[in-house]
Amino acid sequence: MKKIILLSFFGFGLQISFSQNTSYWQQHADYKMEVSMDIKSYQYKGKQELVYSNNSSDTLKKVYYHLFFNAFQPGSEMDARLHFIKDPDGRMVNKVKGADGKEIKQSRIETLKPNEIGFLKITNFKQDGVTAQTRTSGTILEVTLSKPILPNSKSTFSLDFDGQVPVQIRRSGRNNSEGVALSMSQWYPKLAEFDFEGWHADPYIAREFHGVWGNFDVKITIDKDYTIGGSGYLQDKNEIGHGYEDKGVTVTYPKKAKTLTWHFIAPNVHDFTWAADKEYTHDIVKGPNDVDLHFFYKNNPKTTENWKQLQPLMVKVMDFYNQKVGQYPYKQYSFIQGGDGGMEYAMCTLILGNGTLEGVLGTATHELGHSWFQHILASNESKHPWMDEGFTTYIEDIALNELKGDKKAVNPFKGNYAAYFSLVNSGKEQPQTTHGDRYDENRPYSISSYIKGSIFLSQLEYVIGKENTDATLKRYFNDFKFKHPTPNDIKRSAERVSGAELDWYLTDWAQTANTIDYGIKDVADNNGKTSVALERLGRMPMPIDLTVEYTDGTSESFYIPLRMMNFIKPNPNPDTKRTVLQDWAWAQSNYSFTIDKNKSAIKKITIDSSGLMADVKAGNNVFEVK
């Protein structure tokens, strides 16, 4: 019965991958892997068979693989990056004294010994049984095929690989700061993505990933005392045990057995990750739609209670995401103590687990959100990190705010705007078209990707209205799930839902470093009425919501449409009288209108009382009549 369910799930995933748009195509890769881990040497051997479907109109003469573990070697590009970036990741450096006695930051990769580095070595590569030529360059394997792969055809690749798990520096590795034995992310030869832009064979330097959709069939042989959590459904749970077995089943192993072979199947994903430790506690709770939520954490009395309290909270968060974006399509998700912060993977996350409940909850909520914005809506994280990190931050902030109940903040994004303003004022902002590895410093990358990316959506609430933004997220999810959406796709989803023209919004916000700055220039008496003069000081255009508060305690609002939008936003506060004024053309830097009351009757005039427009100099957005 279980196998029948899995097969039908495969078909479901593939059907929705290609049914939405007949002009859209994407490649497909089905993996079969068998790997054996030597837990004493932290080395492993594996075999991989991959069936590759070329759904493009291109004839492929080469393919490329990622060998991520090769980054953790002295002299690698990741190591080099740590030497010249001004603010290296603190987890990846040691503080030491230089020759002049001053403290310097030393790359931890630089100090790795031969038995501490990471590597992946590929041998015996064949295409349809015929040997193909390979060349390894850093973290990339280039394969010159023995025969071209024609459009709309398949080819089978097979290879052997030897790997060594590095001391954990970033994301992957062994014996991390919390004592987890193995964090096996980005551990196998992973086929690079080929799409309408061509190959995405980016070296592993610092940032995120991009992968090919497919099905994974993985067998892992490891010492029997280790518990594994990760991507995919365990096929032999009643033989393996370790908390996976059905209720009432007693698992026994042959007396001489030293290892167990775990068999996982992960359908319709673009990654496969696992972690293993002898001291994992393994809990399973039921989530929405009968989804099993697995929790793997170290058996530590100081932190166990936090992990227990986390479990019902994550049930609520998953239910919220289902309603906010769309239904989680798998029947399992795992929260695994095993990272050096938090990182999203297919059907699971690796996170730090020794912090406060609030800290673990925040990380778990964010990483779970990536199941929607990266592992279902699989944007290119390297080229457009703001699409996954920013959109995940947006729904994370809303979800955590919902958990506060009666103590909810009116604007849960307020802190994001403050962080964005600090970036602008620093003069270090780079356009969001910047590749994730090309930012001059880490802090501008983080604010641009997580914070400015989040503001893309919270500010969209200001531009087209909250209801339209909510509907946009659902439309975006339904149109592009199990695909590789681009920035234009979220814009078009918003346009289809609202009817607004939004090319200007995507262009100015995500493709430039233009800023928003509007101000109230003057408020003056005008024959018993009041003239209000506004000015646009920043390059980026916006529609304007303006609230007028009167001395008698009443208020009303005025809405100035942006001409290039060809759109009038629904009144965000239906209980407040609103006047829709003449639209404002961007090329006109000044705008004026009249209020049908004397200036003495006015208490205050405010541009954007919601705080959702990212005006970088809000000081001139308020005029108080004295």
Side-chain angles (χ1 to χ4, degrees):
M1 186 66 178
K2 186 69 172 289
K3 291 182 179 179
I4 294 175
I5 293 173
L6 287 173
L7 289 172
S8 67
F9 194 97
F10 281 8
F12 170 75
L14 292 175
Q15 178 184 0
I16 60 176
S17 289
F18 298 100
S19 63
Q20 300 293 338
N21 184 344
T22 55
S23 65
Y24 176 82
W25 59 268
Q26 65 187 24
Q27 307 293 64
H28 188 83
D30 287 335
Y31 290 81
K32 282 189 176 180
M33 291 189 285
E34 295 184 8
V35 60
S36 179
M37 172 63 70
D38 181 341
I39 51 98
K40 293 182 179 179
S41 66
Y42 296 104
Q43 293 186 358
Y44 55 100
K45 293 182 177 294
K47 295 181 179 294
Q48 182 187 96
E49 181 180 281
L50 190 155
V51 179
Y52 186 57
S53 299
N54 179 18
N55 298 312
S56 76
S57 59
D58 289 76
T59 296
L60 303 180
K61 297 180 181 179
K62 291 183 178 182
V63 298
Y64 298 87
Y65 283 74
H66 297 281
L67 308 177
F68 293 105
F69 270 8
N70 288 355
F72 302 103
Q73 300 176 11
S76 70
E77 289 191 72
M78 183 180 283
D79 182 29
R81 174 73 165 166
L82 293 171
H83 283 81
F84 69 77
I85 194 168
K86 292 180 180 178
D87 60 340
D89 188 323
R91 294 165 291 192
M92 301 175 72
V93 295
N94 294 316
K95 294 181 180 180
V96 298
K97 287 187 177 181
D100 57 0
K102 294 183 179 179
E103 185 178 88
I104 61 174
K105 295 177 180 179
Q106 178 188 56
S107 164
R108 289 180 59 206
I109 297 176
E110 179 184 11
T111 65
L112 292 177
K113 300 174 183 177
N115 66 340
E116 296 175 331
I117 67 170
F119 63 70
L120 265 178
K121 298 177 181 179
I122 308 305
T123 56
N124 198 29
F125 192 103
K126 294 183 179 180
Q127 178 194 7
D128 298 323
V130 179
T131 299
Q133 180 182 342
T134 63
R135 183 177 71 90
T136 298
S137 180
T139 61
I140 299 298
L141 178 75
E142 176 187 357
V143 181
T144 302
L145 298 173
S146 58
K147 65 176 181 179
I149 307 176
L150 299 177
N152 301 308
S153 65
K154 296 182 179 181
S155 194
T156 300
F157 308 141
S158 61
L159 59 85
D160 298 332
F161 60 96
D162 291 274
Q164 180 169 282
V165 186
V167 169
Q168 189 168 42
I169 304 292
R170 187 73 178 93
R171 299 190 176 103
S172 310
R174 68 189 202 233
N175 304 321
N176 70 9
S177 61
E178 295 188 339
V180 175
L182 293 169
S183 297
M184 300 296 288
S185 58
Q186 311 300 331
W187 58 278
Y188 61 93
K190 183 177 180 180
L191 192 69
E193 178 64 286
F194 179 85
D195 62 17
F196 71 99
E197 294 179 314
W199 283 103
H200 296 277
D202 295 317
Y204 185 22
I205 297 175
R207 298 302 173 202
E208 314 291 3
F209 313 104
H210 193 34
V212 188
W213 287 104
N215 305 308
F216 285 75
D217 186 324
V218 181
K219 293 181 179 179
I220 303 167
T221 300
I222 193 170
D223 184 288
K224 66 180 182 181
D225 292 332
Y226 283 72
T227 299
I228 294 179
S231 307
Y233 305 105
L234 183 61
Q235 300 299 290
D236 45 359
K237 61 182 182 179
N238 287 334
E239 290 76 41
I240 293 293
H242 285 269
Y244 285 94
E245 67 271 19
D246 293 324
K247 288 184 178 180
V249 173
T250 300
V251 179
T252 58
Y253 310 129
K255 290 183 178 180
K256 295 183 179 180
K258 295 182 178 180
T259 63
L260 292 175
T261 297
W262 302 59
H263 183 195
F264 293 94
I265 288 181
N268 208 22
V269 296
H270 53 85
D271 183 40
F272 188 96
T273 291
W274 57 283
D277 194 86
K278 285 184 177 181
E279 298 176 352
Y280 272 151
T281 294
H282 178 198
D283 296 334
I284 304 175
V285 300
K286 280 294 180 183
N289 301 329
D290 206 34
V291 172
D292 286 331
L293 297 182
H294 294 247
F295 296 82
F296 299 87
Y297 52 96
K298 296 281 283 188
N299 185 12
N300 182 345
K302 295 181 180 180
T303 56
T304 294
E305 184 59 28
N306 285 345
W307 279 87
K308 296 292 186 183
Q309 292 183 49
L310 178 70
Q311 294 169 16
L313 295 173
M314 297 320 298
V315 173
K316 293 180 180 179
V317 172
M318 176 172 274
D319 185 55
F320 176 80
Y321 289 160
N322 283 343
Q323 296 177 46
K324 185 72 176 177
V325 188
Q327 294 297 311
Y328 179 74
Y330 308 101
K331 288 299 180 184
Q332 177 181 306
Y333 188 86
S334 298
F335 298 90
I336 307 168
Q337 183 176 3
D340 61 340
M343 183 62 192
E344 70 276 6
Y345 300 105
M347 302 173 66
C348 68
T349 179
L350 303 184
I351 63 175
L352 286 174
N354 285 354
T356 64
L357 175 60
E358 182 181 18
V360 176
L361 171 62
T363 303
T365 299
H366 180 86
E367 302 309 334
L368 176 61
H370 275 298
S371 282
W372 285 260
F373 295 116
Q374 185 48 31
H375 286 285
I376 299 172
L377 295 159
S379 56
N380 186 333
E381 290 183 276
S382 296
K383 292 188 69 174
H384 315 295
W386 63 275
M387 290 185 69
D388 71 290
E389 294 295 359
F391 293 3
T392 297
T393 299
Y394 172 77
I395 61 170
E396 170 202 357
D397 289 342
I398 301 173
L400 291 174
N401 196 45
E402 287 293 319
L403 290 178
K404 294 178 180 178
D406 295 339
K407 297 180 180 180
K408 286 191 297 185
V410 175
N411 181 2
F413 315 110
K414 190 174 181 179
N416 294 342
Y417 286 81
Y420 165 67
F421 298 150
S422 73
L423 173 62
V424 172
N425 292 330
S426 74
K428 296 180 179 181
E429 183 183 10
Q430 295 173 245
Q432 288 181 312
T433 50
T434 304
H435 188 284
D437 287 328
R438 311 287 195 273
Y439 281 83
D440 293 334
E441 298 180 24
N442 282 318
R443 183 174 180 273
Y445 160 81
S446 296
I447 296 177
S448 178
S449 301
Y450 291 75
I451 302 304
K452 191 177 180 185
S454 171
I455 294 174
F456 180 93
L457 291 178
S458 60
Q459 187 169 248
L460 192 64
E461 292 186 16
Y462 173 82
V463 174
I464 63 174
K466 186 178 186 306
E467 289 185 2
N468 278 331
T469 301
D470 288 344
T472 292
L473 279 186
K474 294 179 179 179
R475 176 69 180 262
Y476 177 56
F477 178 83
N478 286 324
D479 285 354
F480 297 101
K481 56 189 174 183
F482 297 107
K483 295 184 180 181
H484 295 295
T486 66
N488 192 65
D489 293 324
I490 182 65
K491 182 207 76 171
R492 291 293 293 128
S493 293
E495 289 181 331
R496 292 181 179 114
V497 164
S498 66
E501 298 296 320
L502 295 169
D503 196 59
W504 62 274
Y505 185 60
L506 178 65
T507 298
D508 278 78
W509 188 255
Q511 299 172 2
T512 75
N514 291 345
T515 57
I516 302 163
D517 184 12
Y518 283 84
I520 302 172
K521 189 175 183 179
D522 189 42
V523 177
D525 285 317
N526 183 5
N527 296 322
K529 298 181 180 181
T530 303
S531 294
V532 180
L534 308 176
E535 58 183 339
R536 177 184 57 77
L537 301 166
R539 289 194 189 97
M540 183 169 174
M542 288 293 283
I544 297 298
D545 281 336
L546 191 142
T547 302
V548 180
E549 299 174 51
Y550 297 109
T551 55
D552 63 3
T554 62
S555 63
E556 66 176 317
S557 66
F558 294 84
Y559 174 66
I560 307 173
L562 178 64
R563 181 171 296 179
M564 65 178 72
M565 278 184 68
N566 298 306
F567 174 78
I568 295 176
K569 179 178 67 175
N571 186 356
N573 301 298
D575 295 335
T576 301
K577 176 189 173 184
R578 185 181 75 160
T579 301
V580 178
L581 301 171
Q582 178 67 35
D583 59 25
W584 188 344
W586 174 83
Q588 301 291 340
S589 59
N590 294 288
Y591 183 97
S592 61
F593 71 99
T594 301
I595 299 173
D596 289 335
K597 287 191 177 183
N598 191 283
K599 182 179 177 181
S600 62
I602 298 173
K603 180 181 179 181
K604 184 166 68 173
I605 302 174
T606 304
I607 294 175
D608 179 32
S609 57
S610 72
L612 295 177
M613 183 175 76
D615 191 308
V616 296
K617 295 181 180 178
N620 57 2
N621 286 13
V622 178
F623 186 95
E624 295 190 51
V625 178
K626 298 179 181 179

